[in-house]
Amino acid sequence: MIDYLIRRLVGTIPVLLAVSLFVFLFVHLLPGDPARLVAGPDATPQDIAAVRADMGLDRPLVVQYLRYLGQTVQFQLGRSIKTHQTVAELIGERFMPTLLLTVFAMVWSVIGGVAVGVLSGVKRGRWQDQLAMVLAISGISFPGFWLGLLLIDLFSVRLGWLPTGGYESWQSFVLPAFTLGTGVAAVMARFTRSAFVEITAEDYVRTARAKGVPERLVVWKHTLRNALIPVITLTGLQFGFLLGGAIVVETVFAWPGLGRLLVDSVSYRDYPVIQAEILLFSFEFVLINLIVDLLYAVVNPEIRLR
Amino acid sequence: MLHSVRMLLVALLLAAPGAAYGAKDLVVGVPATLTGLDPADLNDNLSQSAARLMFEGLYNLDEHMKLQPQLAESYEATEDAKEFTFHLRKGITFHDGTPFNAQAVKFSFDRAGNPDNHLKRQSLYVMIDHTDVVDDYTVRMVLKYPFGAFVNDVAHPGALIMSPKSIQEYGKEVTRHPSGTGPYTFVSWSADTLKMKKNEHYWKQGQPKIDTITYRTVPENGARIAMLQAGEAQFIYPVPPELIASLQNSPTVTVFNEPSILGRYVYLNNMRKPFNDPRVRLALNYAIDKQAFIKVVFNGHADPIDSPAPQLLPFYEKQGFYAYDPAKAKALLAEAGYPNGFESTLTGGADTLVQRGMQFIQQQLAAVGIKINVEPLEAGVLTAKMFNVKGPEDATIVMLYGGWSSSTGDADWGLRPILYTKSFPPVLSNLAWYSNPVTDAAIEAGLATVDLTKRAAAYAKVQEQAWKDAPWIFLSVDHSLAAYSKKLHGAFMRPDQQFYLRTDASLD
């Protein structure tokens, strides 16, 4: 187990190296000159040259990459071009809001989505199933942007129960977490239902029923446990995506998360911040994949980690 | 990790919304994040407006952009506009307790004007040769060359006076530790939220009357309006023109809808065919229905422009109006040798209002036989395309949907950057590559003196000549659009589209 963990973690190093090179090249090949953007519209050419030298952008690309790599290995992520804040501080400030929002959104949407999916699977073809699937399709198709504004209009402007946005108190989590989770819950429900239906048709489930195992046990032990494997995979993926910051929801609810930081940084060509964020996202994905693999073993002991 | 998550949750649950009972808390909903709070290093309206609440300048532009003494009581200038002496107010201290005096002014100016410090507003100080401390409360700036608009530069947010101690203590980090003499002091700034509180020792008796000010970044237009309607904010900007109507009948909200000094133009490349022919440029001006443009693009919340300078710019002189006349436009095009029109590309930004404007122009010009390809570009790409040039020969933009607003509030900065031959990109923003010796001479004459009559005559000439030459398509003047709670008094959008709070502003 420990061996496996170490091997997996060491295996992430080449992945992160490749990502760092790719991101570096991508960012530096973006059209648009950060020195010009930093110096402002009424800067003189000398001003811009000075800013460029200050930022180290006048050196060859290879030198810049090696310098960046060297610093990154020592966890020196540099300073934001836009605000002069250290990148570590800047990302630190934005990470918690994104993590907490992701956790809240995932908790309700996974529980809700799986419950609805199981209900649908059990009551296949009946009205409960149809209602649940109509809801799921609506959840997937409803744009988060629009849903968010409708919720703000109802709960903040008309009823005055919840704040319109911001990252202030527990009340400010409710609307964004609900909005963000809606799409995930809908996908979860559909996914659980189809996994459930598929497993129900398996021989061992039929055998269990034929043996006279009580229906409840068939559903919970034989079917659901196995149906959970793809659901866990999906949960991991969704979690990873959301940790990258939900740009739309963060924008609508003025949430100070990583998604908006990334968009801001790209439009300002804030190279150090873009690079650090993408590297962080890649690392998060690798880590989540590892956790998902470990969870498989927990749910189904037949899966061995090697 | 888990521990810190738990702690944070507890903290969030305990954090009671709202502050002390009866406190006057002003929340301003703004569209973007701040870039910093070091006045000498800012070039965006939003951060500058925040800096103005904590810092003050020797002079200030009030809500109508009129020059008012602030930290100085008065000034004298030599007739040749080369020496400016300021008499400072006494008994003022910075937020960090150090005294405000002539030494502090010199320190602030020397720092901001030193090119080695790489500060973004250094261009405001290039004309200063040196600054002298005459006595504790008198300071004199000696310029390298005449600069008649100097007091406007002194009133610019880039020339706000900072505590020398804060700069010595924090260096470049002073952008997160601002210390000025303004009515509000810095409390905190993280991610989306800037907090300030009342300066208890402010030099104006009984002011300010508001206890705390919070800037909150709310990027989405609809969400910002909801914030105001729900009472979470007392002032929000901008309000997009199409949403003004939804707020106009609200019993609790006042709409702010006043002309700005942002002129909208289409810069035509005056050195390229076909725009090197003045008849073509005139034709384009006649081909656009400006009233319809304003109705379609700004829902009517803008004014037609009738001079190269917007109406509220000092020394503005009305020139006339290129009334909508497609027949005349066609005749002029035929005369210039384009009876069947031509094809060209209109470049501009990517936001909704800009795209709407460009599409409108495309349709109007199609009616006189000109086929326009609209090229909306992301801001970084657009800036590169505008300024990554060495001279007119490598310009790749032929028509640019743009605008200009004078950040010093003076006519010089309203006209020189966009009409002067020495302002060709990449130096400044003469994006039409317009060059006329008559205009150049008048621009120089306007700077050569502090005599207001002479300056007025010079800028009248600039406007007259540029209007005649029509280097651009003259479109409109934007309105500043904002909204605020009826409980708030003394808050404005200044004509330069900067949020402006009077020091005696109050909340009911």
Side-chain angles (χ1 to χ4, degrees):
Chain A
M1 175 78 178
I2 300 288
D3 259 15
Y4 172 81
L5 266 182
I6 290 171
R7 249 184 303 123
R8 281 291 297 264
L9 284 173
V10 170
T12 63
I13 293 172
V15 174
L16 291 178
L17 265 178
V19 169
S20 80
L21 179 64
F22 179 76
V23 172
F24 180 86
L25 286 178
F26 169 74
V27 165
H28 284 258
L29 294 177
L30 274 180
D33 177 359
R36 174 85 231 181
L37 291 169
V38 169
D42 38 13
T44 60
Q46 295 94 298
D47 284 343
I48 297 163
V51 171
R52 193 170 291 130
D54 208 31
M55 289 160 57
L57 296 174
D58 53 344
R59 316 219 186 145
L61 217 52
V62 182
V63 176
Q64 287 187 52
Y65 176 68
L66 290 177
R67 215 176 104 186
Y68 154 69
L69 201 62
Q71 288 170 341
T72 306
V73 170
Q74 302 167 54
F75 291 104
Q76 284 172 6
L77 301 171
R79 272 177 192 277
S80 155
I81 291 173
K82 186 177 172 188
T83 64
H84 296 296
Q85 228 177 331
T86 63
V87 172
E89 212 176 85
L90 193 62
I91 289 185
E93 218 170 54
R94 303 289 191 123
F95 182 73
M96 266 326 224
T98 291
L99 178 69
L100 289 176
L101 182 60
T102 303
V103 168
F104 283 136
M106 285 305 288
V107 166
W108 91 256
S109 61
V110 170
I111 295 176
V114 169
V116 170
V118 171
L119 179 79
S120 261
V122 174
K123 307 270 181 191
R124 191 158 20 123
R126 287 200 257 163
W127 68 268
Q128 294 98 324
D129 179 29
Q130 276 156 9
L131 176 70
M133 286 308 109
V134 166
L135 280 179
I137 289 288
S138 319
I140 294 170
S141 2
F142 216 87
F145 177 75
W146 187 237
L147 177 65
L149 285 177
L150 285 182
L151 291 174
I152 289 177
D153 189 54
L154 179 62
F155 290 102
S156 311
V157 179
R158 285 171 209 278
L159 298 171
W161 292 350
L162 295 163
T164 57
Y167 172 65
E168 310 254 315
S169 56
W170 68 267
Q171 289 101 326
S172 56
F173 277 84
V174 178
L175 295 183
F178 182 79
T179 309
L180 188 59
T182 306
V184 180
V187 175
M188 281 294 168
R190 303 238 358 139
F191 217 79
T192 311
R193 180 186 181 274
S194 54
F196 199 88
V197 168
E198 213 169 281
I199 304 280
T200 312
E202 291 282 340
D203 291 346
Y204 61 82
V205 175
R206 207 180 41 212
T207 312
R209 285 218 172 96
K211 278 197 312 191
V213 177
E215 186 61 17
R216 189 179 301 161
L217 220 59
V218 173
V219 170
W220 290 110
K221 196 168 173 200
H222 295 264
T223 319
L224 186 61
R225 250 198 129 103
N226 288 296
L228 272 183
I229 297 286
V231 171
I232 289 172
T233 314
L234 183 69
T235 307
L237 278 175
Q238 293 280 358
F239 199 82
F241 278 124
L242 294 192
L243 267 190
I247 292 153
V248 170
V249 169
E250 285 175 12
T251 303
V252 171
F253 291 101
W255 198 261
L258 290 170
R260 264 180 53 216
L261 179 65
L262 186 64
V263 174
D264 278 358
S265 308
V266 170
S267 54
Y268 208 81
R269 304 292 187 269
D270 203 339
Y271 292 170
V273 183
I274 306 175
Q275 286 163 354
E277 269 206 74
I278 307 261
L279 215 55
L280 172 71
F281 296 160
S282 318
F283 183 68
E284 283 171 1
F285 253 102
V286 171
L287 203 67
I288 287 166
N289 266 328
L290 178 61
I291 295 173
V292 166
D293 286 351
L294 294 177
L295 274 181
Y296 287 159
V298 175
V299 174
N300 189 343
E302 276 200 9
I303 297 174
R304 293 272 170 270
L305 301 174
R306 266 184 284 270
Chain B
M1 180 70 194
L2 197 66
H3 181 68
S4 67
V5 172
R6 205 177 301 145
M7 288 302 290
L8 206 102
L9 280 173
V10 171
L12 281 168
L13 287 167
L14 291 178
Y21 176 77
K24 309 273 190 208
D25 301 308
L26 168 63
V27 177
V28 185
V30 301
T33 49
L34 301 173
T35 59
L37 294 167
D38 174 351
D41 202 26
L42 300 178
N43 56 23
D44 63 295
N45 252 343
L46 170 63
S47 311
Q48 286 172 347
S49 77
R52 271 191 186 284
L53 294 167
M54 292 176 274
F55 294 96
E56 292 173 310
L58 298 181
Y59 269 72
N60 182 38
L61 294 171
D62 68 11
E63 65 268 28
H64 308 296
M65 308 238 13
K66 295 274 171 287
L67 268 177
Q68 304 288 355
Q70 198 167 35
L71 288 174
E73 282 174 325
S74 62
Y75 78 93
E76 294 122 35
T78 51
E79 164 60 32
D80 64 356
K82 281 185 75 175
E83 264 186 49
F84 291 77
T85 308
F86 294 88
H87 302 284
L88 310 182
R89 237 173 250 285
K90 295 177 181 129
I92 298 176
T93 50
F94 288 105
H95 300 160
D96 60 12
T98 54
F100 163 78
N101 52 28
Q103 286 82 3
V105 174
K106 178 175 161 59
F107 189 94
S108 229
F109 271 64
D110 285 353
R111 166 191 184 253
N114 183 350
D116 298 338
N117 290 337
H118 303 319
L119 295 165
K120 286 174 211 144
R121 297 316 314 200
Q122 199 248 325
S123 58
L124 278 178
Y125 298 84
V126 285
M127 73 295 283
I128 301 180
D129 185 71
H130 60 276
T131 302
D132 291 329
V133 174
V134 179
D135 63 46
D136 275 0
Y137 293 99
T138 313
V139 66
R140 181 187 301 130
M141 283 97 184
V142 179
L143 311 190
K144 292 176 198 152
Y145 46 85
F147 199 81
F150 186 67
V151 183
N152 274 80
D153 268 24
V154 165
H156 189 279
L160 295 170
I161 308 297
M162 307 165 72
S163 144
K165 187 183 157 210
S166 68
I167 294 166
Q168 283 154 351
E169 203 171 324
Y170 296 108
K172 254 203 137 131
E173 282 289 284
V174 77
T175 190
R176 307 193 74 81
H177 303 273
S179 177
T181 61
Y184 298 92
T185 62
F186 176 77
V187 175
S188 64
W189 170 32
S190 65
D192 278 353
T193 315
L194 167 70
K195 289 193 163 147
M196 292 163 276
K197 69 176 196 315
K198 178 180 182 168
N199 175 4
E200 299 289 350
H201 309 289
Y202 189 54
W203 55 274
K204 280 189 189 169
Q205 281 298 314
Q207 294 180 15
K209 295 171 180 165
I210 292 171
D211 295 310
T212 70
I213 300 183
T214 305
Y215 267 52
R216 255 184 62 194
T217 305
V218 183
E220 216 290 307
N221 289 324
R224 222 179 301 123
I225 291 177
M227 210 178 144
L228 178 68
Q229 288 172 326
E232 290 169 31
Q234 288 72 42
F235 194 102
I236 57 158
Y237 79 90
V239 176
E242 64 273 15
L243 293 178
I244 285 286
S246 69
L247 287 169
Q248 245 149 4
N249 298 320
S250 161
T252 54
V253 167
T254 307
V255 169
F256 187 94
N257 184 357
E258 301 284 336
S260 72
I261 52 166
L262 195 157
R264 290 236 168 248
Y265 322 103
V266 174
Y267 297 104
L268 305 168
N269 188 329
N270 284 229
M271 294 205 171
R272 286 285 163 81
K273 266 189 167 186
F275 304 116
N276 57 353
D277 187 327
R279 289 170 297 191
V280 172
R281 303 198 299 262
L282 277 180
L284 264 58
N285 271 289
Y286 285 116
I288 309 272
D289 183 345
K290 271 69 97 184
Q291 301 288 2
F293 170 80
I294 288 167
K295 217 179 239 167
V296 170
V297 181
F298 297 104
N299 288 54
H301 305 300
D303 300 315
I305 194 164
D306 50 14
S307 159
Q311 286 84 341
L312 290 177
L313 198 73
F315 309 119
Y316 151 83
E317 286 273 342
K318 183 178 168 135
Q319 301 301 318
F321 189 61
Y322 292 110
Y324 180 51
D325 191 344
K328 194 167 181 178
K330 274 189 184 162
L332 278 164
L333 283 174
E335 209 184 303
Y338 301 97
N340 302 317
F342 53 85
E343 194 174 336
S344 194
T345 300
L346 175 59
T347 308
D351 64 87
T352 321
L353 284 185
V354 169
Q355 294 211 40
R356 212 188 289 163
M358 294 203 287
Q359 284 156 5
F360 181 83
I361 289 165
Q362 180 185 40
Q363 286 169 7
Q364 295 259 293
L365 293 183
V368 297
I370 300 171
K371 187 178 180 307
I372 295 290
N373 307 305
V374 168
E375 185 188 34
L377 297 176
E378 186 266 348
V381 180
L382 180 62
T383 318
K385 212 171 153 99
M386 277 153 63
F387 294 103
N388 284 3
V389 290
K390 292 200 173 65
E393 54 293 342
D394 31 71
T396 52
I397 298 178
V398 284
M399 296 175 80
L400 176 70
Y401 185 91
W404 187 260
S405 168
S406 169
S407 65
T408 67
D410 187 75
D412 170 61
W413 201 244
L415 299 167
R416 179 164 54 94
I418 47 178
L419 287 169
Y420 191 41
T421 305
K422 289 184 188 159
S423 301
F424 281 173
V427 178
L428 285 169
S429 298
N430 185 349
L431 292 153
W433 307 95
Y434 165 73
S435 176
N436 183 332
V438 177
T439 314
D440 287 349
I443 285 173
E444 285 161 16
L447 270 187
T449 176
V450 287
D451 183 322
L452 294 182
T453 357
K454 286 185 191 161
R455 292 197 74 205
Y459 293 118
K461 187 75 206 162
V462 176
Q463 292 170 71
E464 186 198 327
Q465 193 59 48
W467 184 260
K468 232 189 286 171
D469 292 340
W472 323 318
I473 306 178
F474 297 102
L475 294 171
S476 62
V477 179
D478 279 26
H479 277 199
S480 302
L481 300 173
Y484 57 97
S485 157
K486 286 204 189 319
K487 291 181 184 165
L488 177 65
H489 312 281
F492 303 84
M493 288 306 282
R494 231 172 34 181
D496 62 351
Q497 302 200 308
Q498 209 168 88
F499 169 65
Y500 185 83
L501 193 69
R502 290 172 55 116
T503 53
D504 61 357
S506 62
L507 263 172
D508 293 340

